[in-house]
């Protein structure tokens, strides 16, 4: 915490002179202070990369009220499994884009107000730690390489921006209940303070959940996917001058769930703090520092004897980092970005293994380590009439250190004890793009890029068992590296109508996957590559009371494998559909009433790397409706999975888990 504050003070000292000069040189009329609560604006060439923006109206009308379902409106977004954050094991909720294969770790970089959200140990995204109602917009860039966003943006970047006080409307609250007795409560207070504002909010979700096991497969020990989670956050945005703005944020959350069987409980908790200074003067500066503290627990119950076999009782992890970007005044035709970012992840796992037959303690296990990345980048956009060019270089110095794995017998005797050699290296990545405004209605674009992702501490050091399959860790894993290119066209054939199409080709060298070595034994390995080529389509219509937003993606993805991975060569990566689509149609009946429907389809996927255990295609329809009752009070109705489609989320040798069935919500909102 001390380091966060001291960095913020340093950044303020560096940025203040430019701001002070502007204030001194301006007349009284120019002293108007506008507080945005955002980072620096997008650069002119940002549209060169395939991007979909989700606006606030779409965010707050999703039928489940969950962030992951908001993101699912962008075809190609996927988690490792199809479960949402009420019924999934959190460690399996990695986020990726472009069908680059699922391994429970995020291949997309997810940012909230510029701060990475991924867990420092596992790499999953704590979706329940973000209340969608507090967001103003989400910008999803598919591909694009690492660029100025930091290492980890392998498959793309998901940038979420918090809403300001004017958008949130002072006081807002909601209370809903579903047909299984689950509840969703949230409230936000957003007062104006001085020339800035503050936002304090919280949310509490709880419910008995649904059975993730088919009725014919249930046993007395089968449990509903119960959940109980809360989240609180506070944010302050204040001007320090006409062009200098301070943004401070703190958040805490806890999320407890049950998976398949009684007492198979898991939980995540976290605390985040961040401090950001944004200068919008001639010398533009975006300086950010943050700290994160997380924990994870998980109890595994035997699927045959229904006794405790594993207690992952403690996984403390921390992430510390920051980012500094400077945009010097280099002329109206150029936007130059010079910056550096840093992230350090540290974590340890403490778990106990028990005999499924006697219940006796078998082993105490400990694993952990540290990774860090220091990156430097420079990027320039050049506008020359109808043509806009962009290009950038990035260099990262990463370290993997202090890795260990120990297993002790109940009497303290060492069963295995490994300490792994420290490693460090440099990675160089690049990206370039072009936009050409062929006419008022047609824009052509092209881009090429590279990126990389470090293996997580979980991938490096933590083995796990989903009986009878053992998955080994691998301390020798190398970073994943991506190279790709894309071409696209954006059309605006009429007012309120936008259509885009993108052809892409991405290749991930050294893709990390759980590779089957023999029956019931897997290990995390670097594959030769995963190749993915595809077509992305997006359309948006906003004509009076009617709006339509749709995305679709067709992807041909395959594993390139030799040696140990030769049996996988040509296979489609696990958890990867060939086709996905989402379309939302909305109609505003009047100024105080609206309805919308979201139709989603996800094609068939394979559970395993040998193209085995199929997850059938699934099509769902969600509904949302809101009508004002009095003043700022509205009645809200939501329906998830209207036709009760069976969504298979896991298929391990015929052992099936299913996703959210039809769920009906009814409640009220104040102030939204």
């Amino acid at each position: 915490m001390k380091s966060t504050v001291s960095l913020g003070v340093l950044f303020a000292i560096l940025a203040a002179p430019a701001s002070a000069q502007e204030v001194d040189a301006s007349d009284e009329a120019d002293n108007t202070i506008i507080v945005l609560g955002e980072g620096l604006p997008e650069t002119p060439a940002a549209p060169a990369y395939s991007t979909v923006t989700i606006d606030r109206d779409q965010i707050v009308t999703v039928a489940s009220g969950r962030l992951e379902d908001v993101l699912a409106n962008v075809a190609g977004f996927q988690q490792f499994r199809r479960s949402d954050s009420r019924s999934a094991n959190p460690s399996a909720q990695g986020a990726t884009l472009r069908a680059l294969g699922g391994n429970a770790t995020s291949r997309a970089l997810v940012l909230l107000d510029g701060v990475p959200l991924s867990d420092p140990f596992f790499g999953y995204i704590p979706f329940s730690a973000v209340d969608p109602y507090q967001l103003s917009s989400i910008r999803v860039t598919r591909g694009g390489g690492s660029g100025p966003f930091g290492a980890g943006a392998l498959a793309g970047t998901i940038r979420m921006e918090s809403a300001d006080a004017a958008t949130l409307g002072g006081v807002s609250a909601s209370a809903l209940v579903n047909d299984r007795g689950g509840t969703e409560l949230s409230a936000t207070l957003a007062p104006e303070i001085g020339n800035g504002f503050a936002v304090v909010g919280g949310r509490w979700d709880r419910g008995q959940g649904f059975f993730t096991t088919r009725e014919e497969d249930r046993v007395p020990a089968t449990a509903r996917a119960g959940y109980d989670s809360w989240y609180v956050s506070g944010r302050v945005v204040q001007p320090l001058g006409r062009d200098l703005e301070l943004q401070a944020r703190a958040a805490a959350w806890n999320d407890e769930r049950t998976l398949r069987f009684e007492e198979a409980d898991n939980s995540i908790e976290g605390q985040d703090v961040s401090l950001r200074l944004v200068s919008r003067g001639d010398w533009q500066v975006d300086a950010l520092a943050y700290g994160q503290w997380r924990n994870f627990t998980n109890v595994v119950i035997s699927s045959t004897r229904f006794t405790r076999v594993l207690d992952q009782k403690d996984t403390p992890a921390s992430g510390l980092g920051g980012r500094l970007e400077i945009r010097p005044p280099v002329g109206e035709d150029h936007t130059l970005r010079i910056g550096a970012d840093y992230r350090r992840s540290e974590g340890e796992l403490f778990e106990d293994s028990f005999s499924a037959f006697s219940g006796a303690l078998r082993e105490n296990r400990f694993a952990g380590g540290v990774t860090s990345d220091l990156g430097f980048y420079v990027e320039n956009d050049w506008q020359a009439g109808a043509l806009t060019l962009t290009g950038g270089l990035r260099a990262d110095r990463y370290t993997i250190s202090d890795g260990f794995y120990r297993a002790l017998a109940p009497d303290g005797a060492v069963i295995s004890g490994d300490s792994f050699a420290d490693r460090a290296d440099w990675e160089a990545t690049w990206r370039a793009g072009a936009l050409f405004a062929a006419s008022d209605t047609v824009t052509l674009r092209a881009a090429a890029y590279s990126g990389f992702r470090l293996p997580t501490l979980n991938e490096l050091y933590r083995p796990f068992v989903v009986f009878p399959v053992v998955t080994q860790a691998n301390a020798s894993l190398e970073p994943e590296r991506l190279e790709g290119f894309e071409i696209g066209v954006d059309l605006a054939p009429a007012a309120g109508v936008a259509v885009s199409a993108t052809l892409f080709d991405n290749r991930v060298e050294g893709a990390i996957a759980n590779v089957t070595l023999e029956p019931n034994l897997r290990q995390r390995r670097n594959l030769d590559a995963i190749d993915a080529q595809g077509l992305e389509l997006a359309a948006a219509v906003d004509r009076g009371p009617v709006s339509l937003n749709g995305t679709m993606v067709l992807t041909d993805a395959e594993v390139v494998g030799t040696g140990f991975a030769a049996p996988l060569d040509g296979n489609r990566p696990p958890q990867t559909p060939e086709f996905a689509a989402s379309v939302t149609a909305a109609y505003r009946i009047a100024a105080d009433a609206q309805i919308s429907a979201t139709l989603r389809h996800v094609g068939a996927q394979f559970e395993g790397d040998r193209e085995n255990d199929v997850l059938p295609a699934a099509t769902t329809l969600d509904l949302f409706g809101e009508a004002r009752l009095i003043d700022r009070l509205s009645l809200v109705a939501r329906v998830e999975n209207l036709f009760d489609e069976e969504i298979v989320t896991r298929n391990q040798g015929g052992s099936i888990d299913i996703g959210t069935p039809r769920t009906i919500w009814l409640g009220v909102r104040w102030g939204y």
Side-chain angles (χ1 to χ4, degrees):
M1 183 69 176
K2 290 181 180 178
S3 62
T4 302
V5 174
S6 61
L7 279 171
V9 172
L10 175 60
F11 293 157
I13 293 171
L14 290 173
S19 177
Q21 283 183 350
E22 291 295 333
V23 172
D24 291 342
S26 63
D27 58 27
E28 185 174 352
D30 291 335
N31 280 331
T32 301
I33 296 175
I34 299 175
V35 178
L36 299 177
E38 302 173 353
L40 294 176
E42 290 286 357
T43 59
Y49 306 98
S50 176
T51 301
V52 176
T53 299
I54 308 174
D55 62 26
R56 181 167 172 80
D57 285 344
Q58 294 175 267
I59 294 171
V60 301
T61 57
V62 69
S64 67
R66 318 294 297 187
L67 175 61
E68 59 272 29
D69 283 335
V70 175
L71 295 172
N73 287 333
V74 179
F77 166 82
Q78 66 177 105
Q79 303 173 77
F80 178 56
R81 300 199 185 279
R82 298 170 174 178
S83 307
D84 69 13
S85 56
R86 296 166 293 192
S87 60
N89 187 298
S91 64
Q93 292 197 273
T96 194
L97 298 160
R98 286 202 163 156
L100 292 178
N103 65 350
T105 297
S106 297
R107 286 193 168 112
L109 181 63
V110 182
L111 304 171
L112 175 60
D113 297 326
V115 177
L117 277 183
S118 58
D119 181 83
F121 189 92
F122 292 95
Y124 67 81
I125 305 301
F127 290 104
S128 58
V130 179
D131 185 353
Y133 299 129
Q134 292 188 22
L135 299 178
S136 63
S137 66
I138 302 174
R139 187 176 177 88
V140 180
T141 301
R142 297 172 286 194
S146 296
F149 303 109
L154 196 78
T157 308
I158 300 171
R159 284 170 287 166
M160 300 181 288
E161 297 290 342
S162 294
D164 60 15
T167 301
L168 294 170
V171 178
S172 54
S174 70
L176 294 98
V177 62
N178 69 27
D179 55 335
R180 289 188 293 276
T183 57
E184 177 192 304
L185 305 174
S186 66
T188 302
L189 178 65
E192 294 184 359
I193 299 177
N195 289 320
F197 63 87
V199 176
V200 179
R203 177 165 165 157
W204 181 28
D205 297 316
R206 67 186 301 272
Q208 66 173 342
F210 58 89
F211 286 106
T212 60
T213 305
R214 289 170 169 169
E215 186 173 359
E216 62 269 23
D217 296 329
R218 294 172 195 165
V219 297
T222 300
R224 291 175 177 268
Y227 60 96
D228 191 339
S229 66
W230 59 262
Y231 157 85
V232 294
S233 70
R235 185 168 180 253
V236 176
V237 178
Q238 286 292 313
L240 301 180
R242 196 191 71 175
D243 298 315
L244 185 64
E245 183 176 291
L246 172 68
Q247 305 169 16
R249 183 179 183 274
W253 67 88
N254 186 78
D255 188 343
E256 299 178 356
R257 312 176 198 174
T258 298
L259 187 65
R260 295 193 196 98
F261 302 116
E262 296 287 349
E263 299 183 2
D265 302 325
N266 61 72
S267 72
I268 58 173
E269 66 175 60
Q271 304 84 39
D272 284 8
V273 295
S274 63
L275 189 67
R276 189 179 197 178
L277 279 154
V278 180
S279 174
R280 299 184 176 90
D282 288 341
W283 282 76
Q284 297 184 351
V285 178
D286 190 342
L288 172 71
Y290 60 87
Q292 301 167 322
W293 297 268
R294 309 284 175 81
N295 207 338
F296 169 80
T297 69
N298 184 45
V299 175
V300 179
I301 300 296
S302 166
S303 60
T304 55
R305 303 185 66 86
F306 310 109
T307 59
R308 180 180 56 166
V309 292
L310 185 66
D311 183 0
Q312 294 171 287
K313 56 187 180 181
D314 202 20
T315 317
S318 64
L320 299 174
R323 179 171 181 260
L324 175 62
E325 177 172 304
I326 299 173
R327 300 183 186 179
V330 290
E332 294 182 358
D333 296 335
H334 290 269
T335 302
L336 178 63
R337 311 170 74 174
I338 303 171
D341 52 58
Y342 175 74
R343 180 170 173 83
R344 182 182 189 274
S345 298
E346 180 177 4
E348 296 185 12
L349 169 72
F350 303 88
E351 66 180 25
D352 296 333
S353 173
F354 300 88
S355 168
F357 298 95
S358 67
L361 177 66
R362 297 175 56 198
E363 292 181 358
N364 303 118
R365 299 172 184 158
F366 311 87
V370 179
T371 62
S372 68
D373 180 88
L374 174 62
F376 305 92
Y377 63 89
V378 59
E379 185 167 271
N380 184 55
D381 291 2
W382 176 32
Q383 295 175 277
L387 180 64
T388 301
L389 300 174
T390 182
L393 295 173
R394 180 180 176 90
D396 287 86
R397 175 68 173 179
Y398 72 84
T399 63
I400 300 174
S401 61
D402 300 331
F404 70 92
Y405 175 78
R406 294 194 302 273
L408 306 179
D411 62 0
V414 177
I415 298 174
S416 63
D418 296 310
S419 295
F420 304 105
D422 295 348
R423 292 183 280 155
D425 206 348
W426 284 92
E427 285 286 341
T429 53
W430 52 271
R431 69 178 199 164
L435 282 171
F436 179 68
S439 69
D440 292 339
T441 60
V442 179
T443 301
L444 306 176
R445 51 186 166 80
Y449 40 80
S450 65
F452 91 105
R453 179 186 75 86
L454 280 177
T456 63
L457 297 172
N458 174 60
E459 292 169 319
L460 289 164
Y461 305 125
R462 172 188 166 260
F464 68 95
V465 178
V466 179
F467 186 82
V469 180
V470 176
T471 301
Q472 299 173 336
N474 186 350
S476 300
L477 290 172
E478 293 291 330
E480 297 179 333
R481 300 169 177 86
L482 174 139
E483 290 190 354
F485 66 89
E486 60 195 55
I487 57 173
V489 59
D490 299 323
L491 307 175
V497 179
V499 180
S500 69
T502 305
L503 285 168
F504 68 89
D505 188 324
N506 287 181
R507 180 182 175 92
V508 181
E509 301 278 356
I512 298 171
N514 297 329
V515 177
T516 300
L517 302 179
E518 58 186 67
N520 298 330
L521 178 62
R522 304 184 304 179
Q523 187 182 39
R524 298 184 183 100
R525 294 279 185 94
N526 289 107
L527 302 174
D528 294 61
I530 291 177
D531 269 336
Q533 299 85 34
L535 170 66
E536 296 165 340
L537 299 175
V541 177
D542 189 358
R543 302 295 295 267
V546 177
S547 66
L548 183 74
N549 289 277
T551 58
M552 185 188 79
V553 60
L554 287 163
T555 308
D556 179 17
E558 66 177 25
V559 173
V560 178
T562 58
F564 71 87
L568 310 180
D569 188 58
N571 285 2
R572 197 194 320 166
Q575 309 292 332
T576 301
E578 291 182 340
F579 176 73
S582 174
V583 60
T584 298
Y587 180 68
R588 185 165 292 279
I589 302 170
D592 53 5
Q594 62 176 322
I595 57 174
S596 65
T598 299
L599 181 68
R600 289 199 192 103
H601 177 84
V602 178
Q605 304 167 214
F606 295 112
E607 176 77 28
D609 57 350
R610 300 296 178 95
E611 292 194 338
N612 53 349
D613 298 332
V614 175
L615 309 179
T619 302
T620 59
L621 178 65
D622 295 345
L623 302 177
F624 176 90
E626 182 176 16
R628 183 180 301 175
L629 298 176
I630 56 171
D631 195 19
R632 299 174 66 199
L633 182 66
S634 299
L635 177 68
V636 176
R638 309 187 319 213
V639 183
E640 302 177 60
N641 194 4
L642 175 65
F643 296 116
D644 204 22
E645 174 89 340
E646 182 180 82
I647 307 165
V648 177
T649 61
R650 184 186 68 93
N651 179 5
Q652 187 169 303
S655 176
I656 301 292
D657 283 351
I658 54 178
T660 306
R662 180 171 51 239
T663 305
I664 301 172
W665 294 86
L666 189 65
V668 292
R669 285 180 176 178
W670 173 270
Y672 284 102

